[in-house]
Amino acid sequence: MSTKYVYKFSEGNRDMRELLGGKGANLAEMTNAGMPVPQGFTVTTEACTRYYTDGKKIAPEIEAEIMTNLADLEALMGKKFGDPENPLLVSVRSGARASMPGMMDTILNLGLNDVAVEGLARRTNNPRFAYDSYRRFIQMFSDVVMELSKKRFEEIIDDVKAKKGVKLDVELDADDMKQLVVLFKEFYKKEKGVDFPQDPKVQLMEAVKAVFRSWDNPRANVYRRMNEIPYDWGTAVNVQSMVFGNSGDNSGTGVAFTRNPATGEKALFGEYLINAQGEDVVAGVRTPSPISKLHEEMPHVYEEFVDIANKLEQHYKDMQDMEFTIEDGKLYMLQTRNGKRTAAAALKVAVDLVDEGMIDEKEAVLRVEPKQLDSLLHPTFDAEALKKAEVIGKGLAASPGAASGKVVFTAEEAKEWHQRGEKVILVRLETSPEDIEGMQVSQGILTVRGGMTSHAAVVARGMGTCCVSGCGDIVVDYENKQFTLAGKTYKEGDWISIDGSTGNIYGESVATVPADPSSGPFGRFMAWADKYRQLQVYTNADTPRDAKQAVDFGAEGIGLVRTEHMFFEGERIKAIREMIVAETTEEREKALEKLLPYQQGDFEGIYEAMEGRPVVIRYLDPPLHEFLPTKEEDIKEIAGELKITVDRLKEVIASLHEFNPMMGHRGCRLAVSYPEIARMQTTAVINAAVNVQKKHPDWKMVPEIMIPLVGEVKELKFVKDIVVATADAIIANSGIAMKYEVGTMIEIPRAALLADEIAKEAEFFSFGTNDLTQLTFGFSRDDAGKFLSYYYDQKIYENDPFAHLDQNGVGKLVAMAAKMGKETRPTIHMGICGEHGGDPTSVEFCHKVGLTYVSCSPFRVPIARLAAAQAAIKNPR
Amino acid sequence: MSTKYVYKFSEGNRDMRELLGGKGANLAEMTNAGMPVPQGFTVTTEACTRYYTDGKKIAPEIEAEIMTNLADLEALMGKKFGDPENPLLVSVRSGARASMPGMMDTILNLGLNDVAVEGLARRTNNPRFAYDSYRRFIQMFSDVVMELSKKRFEEIIDDVKAKKGVKLDVELDADDMKQLVVLFKEFYKKEKGVDFPQDPKVQLMEAVKAVFRSWDNPRANVYRRMNEIPYDWGTAVNVQSMVFGNSGDNSGTGVAFTRNPATGEKALFGEYLINAQGEDVVAGVRTPSPISKLHEEMPHVYEEFVDIANKLEQHYKDMQDMEFTIEDGKLYMLQTRNGKRTAAAALKVAVDLVDEGMIDEKEAVLRVEPKQLDSLLHPTFDAEALKKAEVIGKGLAASPGAASGKVVFTAEEAKEWHQRGEKVILVRLETSPEDIEGMQVSQGILTVRGGMTSHAAVVARGMGTCCVSGCGDIVVDYENKQFTLAGKTYKEGDWISIDGSTGNIYGESVATVPADPSSGPFGRFMAWADKYRQLQVYTNADTPRDAKQAVDFGAEGIGLVRTEHMFFEGERIKAIREMIVAETTEEREKALEKLLPYQQGDFEGIYEAMEGRPVVIRYLDPPLHEFLPTKEEDIKEIAGELKITVDRLKEVIASLHEFNPMMGHRGCRLAVSYPEIARMQTTAVINAAVNVQKKHPDWKMVPEIMIPLVGEVKELKFVKDIVVATADAIIANSGIAMKYEVGTMIEIPRAALLADEIAKEAEFFSFGTNDLTQLTFGFSRDDAGKFLSYYYDQKIYENDPFAHLDQNGVGKLVAMAAKMGKETRPTIHMGICGEHGGDPTSVEFCHKVGLTYVSCSPFRVPIARLAAAQAAIKNPR
């Protein structure tokens, strides 16, 4: 049987999201539920991938299938493409498996031509509307299909308005619109060398291709990379008969959520515009009315809509985000989907749905995107500082959080300033999908136009970035890079602050305080996550302060203390430099002797902060040259401090030079060369643990010592022997009993390949997936940036493997090693301590391969807890 | 049952070499064959490894077992340890599984003390002999067991001789010897604080321990690393009742080979000394008589020896290397083993043994150490140059080959000069095991003393280094770093030449010519190797000259053409620099256009040289910064050449800087960034192949294009698509049909892990085990030298993984990838092109994992052919 590439709405259902995209599947589902949906059909995602494998061509059989379905639609609607009496008009919209709002292209009013426009005028008895629709279609088609910028058409409109002496579009009459159509078509022909296509079927096929093409546009690629959407999913195309929200004052269009997407409050939440097309709401050009006002303006429509909204929420058992259009008083549903929401809203909705008996705890845990929790952990304004700060304006509280930064006016500037290390607030009339990268690097986003569902608001919420939208009092002067608000002028570079939870704007920098995630339903929700997860969540922390912070966020231990981070301050760096320039073991030991008390004190502090929880301490890891100066003047100064000649210091620096430091004399290789380093570190760890154990007899101290960069069991054994000899002697003298463990990082491919042997000596494994990724891919993290952009462009790699664990390659090594390690030593405990430890998809992988814990930075601990819970629910062990 | 740690000679046999060591197993075998062997017992290699695992202690049960066997030996010999009438004396010698001549320690005359010496004097009626033996024993025991240098004792002897007014040891009489014993014991007590041990059992146990310890001495470690002998094998200890070659003029000692170890000629070959102990021969202190002279001096002994020698050769079916001692006219066999031999001798012996019907072809193939062939391929002196060169002296032709170099007098200097890039000839009175590293880096070795079996001769033959030994005319003046010969003085740094095949010495540098391995039995022997091997042998060659050379050595194709090697000359480097500094694709293409004719011409030359054999061409691999200058003055000059500003060039250099260039922007990453490079290279490859195909219609040209540094199938696909599009277009225009293949290097761990996917696109794999080793171990070849020495010291790694493939780790990846590659594409062909391709153990591994070919440098081709044959014979597929 040949593949079916086109489905009528009446043929699909919600489970066909992979094939029909989210929009298509839900349109089908609503159709089947008897809801008022303008009918149409969906060209599948498979047609899209076929389009690309066929060299960006639509195969004849797919075109034939589209035409058959078009004919059926004509029959169903009783309208015909290009019909001079009753023309069928359609919208053509993208709809991928995952929602990618604003990322791809849409064309409305398709089917209009010189003949059909007359039919539309006649049927609606509204020539101005008909010609307005036609000129809009020409504009949109030219932009999306033919890459003729919308702006050029706006200039023609401005010309016509100027000649007529009017300022607003609404002041143009039917004849003006007719004239615009003529001018647009002339312009089109001039630019493209051919007439604007009059055959609606040609228009349709070109539009379908344009939607397929838009899957691969730059902003879609950026969005996918940010949201981990695979390139090979492709997008579906929905062809739907048009209904017109702009056909008069008894028409309108709007979007609404069944609950408040910012707070989660259970109440219909949305906006609409009378006499407008859908894009007018989303684009934020006009500021719409709240949905509650519809109750007054069109009570019957409102009631029908409330009824549908409730049904949809009950049906999907989640908060819905719906688009609707009212045509001549009749309601049509254009889309429903699970609504995007803030983290706070996500938590509240999930907990409320459980309390309402709609879903169970496990389902609730699955409902919150782990990465979203990040925004809950971000600072808010300091209450005292806020009292003194003057509110200079107010907009919509579009995305919660508080931010201070310097004003910039374009996404490009935001990126540039950010690269210089500046914090910026991006101030725009309105944002558009092109701005996405600039938005990402901004502390906050402030817009003049647009509501809660405007592009700026939707995207900022998704990013967890604070946003105030629709502050119409602001007058932006892009040219002079300044804006005025409340009589004051703010120039590029001036500090402002915005509060995305209140909509307040401050003309100065305002101090912030850390987030308090324990307020609201956070605690209850995270307790469910902790109940279902099987992975433990540790943190990477080098100081008691970080350790404390992580415990507050729910960390159950420390998976990585980087001991070298303690070596860089004051007297310590001096001592480590003395060690490095030492010419004999004795001199080296003398220098290490000086480091011992610092190191021991640091460990005691961390042990105290962790109150008996597990702490894994990694031994000295970086190459020694990192501790030496490189600049001439520093070399002179430091040679003086070390009481050696400049030449001698330069000699040492030269002798430590490495061609590929990442693969150089570091990690346990240092301990093999200079066992006295491992001896000192062991003394510090065990002394600290003994002291803390004596002070807190109820804690059960079991220091865990981690040997980095092991590639061979004999290497581990060599260092372990030093550790054991040193530790056993100290413990024997301490007068108390204490156990300790010696384990290793698995971060060298060879260690993973020989994990069975290494597990003979290692009591635990910690997968160092940063280095393991570098070595498995054979590219240096510091250098890969230069060529990875080409790889993203060519879709060779879709994700940064340092952000998301490469499950195919690196993951294969991790899985192999975990399996072999367990076979050799069934009691082995295993974790991950690379940056992947806080990445949800990587956490899921760690769960699947049976690790014991993940370790991540303190602020990612809640994310990891939730990701671990979701992994456990989705993949029962 | 508990382990048996001690075996009497009568309990063992030749198959117990792993347990008893080579020497012990063969002593047992000779004992069982009824040959005259002084009886004794062997402490096993397992006792040695136990000694180390027990913390360098001999366990009580092992000591007990030694004592039991000692008692049995006493009973067998009718002598008793320390007996005042008839004392048992023994030798204590090491004997590992593999022969390690001179690497470990030996003690003779053990059992002598103040009482036993009297018994020996009485029984032999030769007090001088008895006390001479005692003082030798004290000296040897002090040196080997107590680390008191022999030299200090020699000084005491010199004192005594001076006081007496004599010059030679033989001028000392019995009383002098007695006095020496007293002085030696006094010195011992002064140095060690205790009396010289009088209990022979204590002496024995200390000696056994000393032998075990000597397994771990630095020179043994170096030797093992050179000869790939695992540290964990350990050594056995042979305790054998003494016979005395130095008990008078009816006694003697010698060593002999059943065939000539230099030429393979079938004739007894050896040397002996009358009235001497074995060490006197090997140490090269006195120059011995040829074995044929024994026929005149002791005809009966000679006949018995010849008879035994023949029996041993028949028994072991190989040329034997034997040690013997004559005590009062009676012959004793002290050792037999398969004799070390030169490559020429190895070939001749192997071929002769087949002709004599003693072994078959396969066995013959196994009899030659592949690495040895190297020496056959090394140059000899140019005949014309030789005519003009003056022979200034003559020594023994101890190890064949010809060498010119500058004179140095110590092993340390040899190393230093070598590091400076100088070629040196090491001139020594005699060499000792401490000199081994210096010998290794020398072009040749010239000694004043010592015969064909002296340390210098044996070791040089093993290394394939040319050596002239025993040139007694030379007067060495170490102090002034000079020697005189034939009235002339040669200082350190002066050029000399030596011919290890004739023994001639020349006082100047003499030109050499390449080896002609096809002379002698080489051709016949290699034909057998080719008959039995299953791996194909390719070569790595970048020029027609190298290609030709390799074909002469038997290469069947080129496994690696490094295209970048062609980019470094004259106009080429200019064009590639233009490409690098290009700011647009167009500029880059213009520069590449200039490179195209060069590259195409090179490929045509190589294709012509290979006459239709397979040629695998690797695309541009190194990071581009390798083509740019680093020095200020060069930058200025080159900026001028390129007609760009110095600042612009510096900018490009800075932009190309990498932290870890090994893991940087190189390999196929260049082709992904700049597809035009791959396009140019493809054009050159295919144009060249088409031209050569047209010129030689009988050759079947199938160019093989190899994409380096692939880590992901999409990456390979991307570059392959460029190659295919370019190649197909050229072939279509060429008017002839031609196939080509596109394959990849497997040199990134991820490529090996995902070889199943990569094989979907790759028509062949070539394992680049140099980079694969770097990435799998996580150490950079350029930097690892600094810390690997610690690893060798600690026995963490025993071999350089860049010389011998790490079969456990890297090999696991290779085996996995080979298996997966074949599963995806059963027709895939696979080879190796790292330096391991010419290493015999690595070649065996390649055979075992089922590769199609190995590729190595031209001079290693014969080695690889033989190694492949041995692998096939040992591991039938």
Side-chain angles (χ1 to χ4, degrees), chain A residues 319-524:
Chain A
M319 181 247 272
Q320 293 301 295
D321 167 3
M322 302 154 294
E323 283 182 32
F324 61 93
T325 284
I326 305 155
E327 187 185 56
D328 296 329
K330 171 156 174 46
L331 175 69
Y332 289 98
M333 297 301 295
L334 298 188
Q335 156 140 300
T336 190
R337 59 185 170 192
N338 296 337
K340 294 214 179 289
R341 62 204 83 173
T342 63
L347 290 182
K348 181 161 167 51
V349 169
V351 170
D352 286 351
L353 289 177
V354 171
D355 290 343
E356 292 164 25
M358 280 169 73
I359 60 176
D360 64 11
E361 286 171 6
K362 284 188 184 181
E363 184 58 34
V365 165
L366 293 174
R367 285 290 173 84
V368 179
E369 188 68 45
K371 278 200 286 187
Q372 272 198 304
L373 294 183
D374 213 23
S375 66
L376 290 181
L377 311 172
H378 283 154
T380 51
F381 286 128
D382 175 74
E384 286 309 302
L386 211 53
K387 276 183 197 161
K388 287 175 224 144
E390 193 197 343
V391 176
I392 56 167
K394 199 171 166 72
L396 300 174
S399 178
S404 289
K406 292 180 178 172
V407 170
V408 294
F409 290 97
T410 68
E412 286 64 40
E413 280 161 4
K415 280 196 283 180
E416 282 169 27
W417 285 62
H418 171 73
Q419 273 160 8
R420 292 208 299 269
E422 303 277 5
K423 295 183 169 190
V424 299
I425 305 281
L426 177 61
V427 181
R428 299 285 298 162
L429 274 176
E430 59 203 308
T431 63
S432 66
E434 288 78 30
D435 297 331
I436 200 157
E437 285 180 285
M439 295 170 74
Q440 207 176 2
V441 300
S442 298
Q443 301 296 306
I445 296 148
L446 172 59
T447 70
V448 180
R449 299 196 286 229
M452 290 296 288
T453 52
S454 66
H455 179 264
V458 169
V459 171
R461 281 200 297 271
M463 290 174 173
T465 300
C466 124
C467 175
V468 171
S469 69
C471 176
D473 295 339
I474 292 176
V475 179
V476 171
D477 176 356
Y478 282 149
E479 202 166 308
N480 294 304
K481 295 188 175 185
Q482 61 185 41
F483 74 86
T484 54
L485 178 61
K488 271 195 178 171
T489 300
Y490 298 86
K491 291 186 178 299
E492 183 183 66
D494 288 347
W495 280 91
I496 62 166
S497 300
I498 58 174
D499 188 331
S501 309
T502 61
N504 283 342
I505 304 161
Y506 305 88
E508 64 204 89
S509 172
V510 180
T512 53
V513 290
D516 178 17
S518 58
S519 66
F522 182 83
R524 209 173 143 210

Side-chain angles (χ1 to χ4, degrees), chain A residues 641-829:
Chain A
E641 278 177 21
L642 296 173
K643 296 188 185 93
I644 58 174
T645 63
V646 169
D647 281 349
R648 166 72 189 140
L649 183 53
K650 283 186 180 174
E651 195 184 294
V652 172
I653 293 170
S655 76
L656 292 177
H657 171 263
E658 294 184 314
F659 294 93
N660 295 291
M662 195 266 130
M663 308 169 80
H665 195 179
R666 46 174 291 242
C668 69
R669 295 165 192 169
L670 296 169
V672 171
S673 321
Y674 310 119
E676 48 279 9
I677 299 178
R679 224 170 276 132
M680 181 283 279
Q681 294 205 290
T682 306
T683 306
V685 168
I686 302 294
N687 275 346
V690 164
N691 289 348
V692 171
Q693 180 69 82
K694 283 181 177 171
K695 224 166 123 190
H696 304 280
D698 49 325
W699 296 354
K700 198 180 166 215
M701 298 296 298
V702 183
E704 295 181 51
I705 289 168
M706 181 154 76
I707 313 300
L709 219 72
V710 163
E712 156 66 42
V713 65
K714 289 182 192 166
E715 184 181 34
L716 173 59
K717 173 84 163 63
F718 177 83
V719 183
K720 187 182 172 185
D721 284 350
I722 296 164
V723 170
V724 168
T726 310
D728 286 355
I730 296 172
I731 294 170
N733 280 330
S734 74
I736 60 168
M738 193 171 70
K739 286 190 181 165
Y740 62 92
E741 293 193 340
V742 182
T744 185
M745 300 277 287
I746 302 284
E747 54 188 334
I748 298 270
R750 195 173 188 275
L753 290 164
L754 297 173
D756 46 351
E757 292 184 8
I758 287 175
K760 288 182 193 155
E761 295 296 336
E763 291 167 281
F764 61 87
F765 283 171
S766 179
F767 290 94
T769 48
N770 294 349
D771 277 2
L772 194 60
T773 298
Q774 295 197 76
L775 292 167
T776 304
F777 277 88
F779 49 63
S780 152
R781 191 171 182 171
D782 293 324
D783 303 312
K786 285 182 201 160
F787 52 84
L788 277 185
S789 58
Y790 296 102
Y791 279 71
Y792 297 142
D793 288 349
Q794 304 298 347
K795 317 282 178 333
I796 294 171
Y797 295 123
E798 292 187 49
N799 282 308
D800 176 359
F802 297 109
H804 302 296
L805 186 74
D806 160 49
Q807 300 189 9
N808 289 341
V810 178
K812 193 168 189 175
L813 276 181
V814 171
M816 275 175 61
K819 187 165 170 282
M820 289 194 287
K822 241 183 249 172
E823 278 166 9
T824 299
R825 185 187 288 265
T827 61
I828 198 165
H829 45 118

Side-chain angles (χ1 to χ4, degrees), chain A residues 549-603:
Chain A
Q549 171 75 80
V551 169
D552 288 348
F553 284 155
E556 297 163 282
I558 298 183
L560 177 63
V561 178
R562 302 173 200 84
T563 51
E564 60 272 11
H565 282 194
M566 305 159 172
F567 286 159
F568 281 95
E569 293 161 29
E571 282 302 301
R572 303 169 177 213
I573 185 121
K574 203 185 147 204
I576 198 153
R577 283 171 177 160
E578 281 173 18
M579 183 202 84
I580 293 170
V581 302
E583 300 193 48
T584 64
T585 306
E586 289 67 37
E587 276 180 42
R588 215 162 17 245
E589 283 173 342
K590 235 171 90 186
L592 287 165
E593 203 60 44
K594 294 184 193 170
L595 280 171
L596 176 62
Y598 296 120
Q599 186 117 92
Q600 184 175 324
D602 291 330
F603 294 152

Side-chain angles (χ1 to χ4, degrees), chain B residues 452-465:
Chain B
M452 291 295 289
T453 53
S454 65
H455 178 266
V458 170
V459 171
R461 280 199 298 272
M463 289 175 175
T465 301

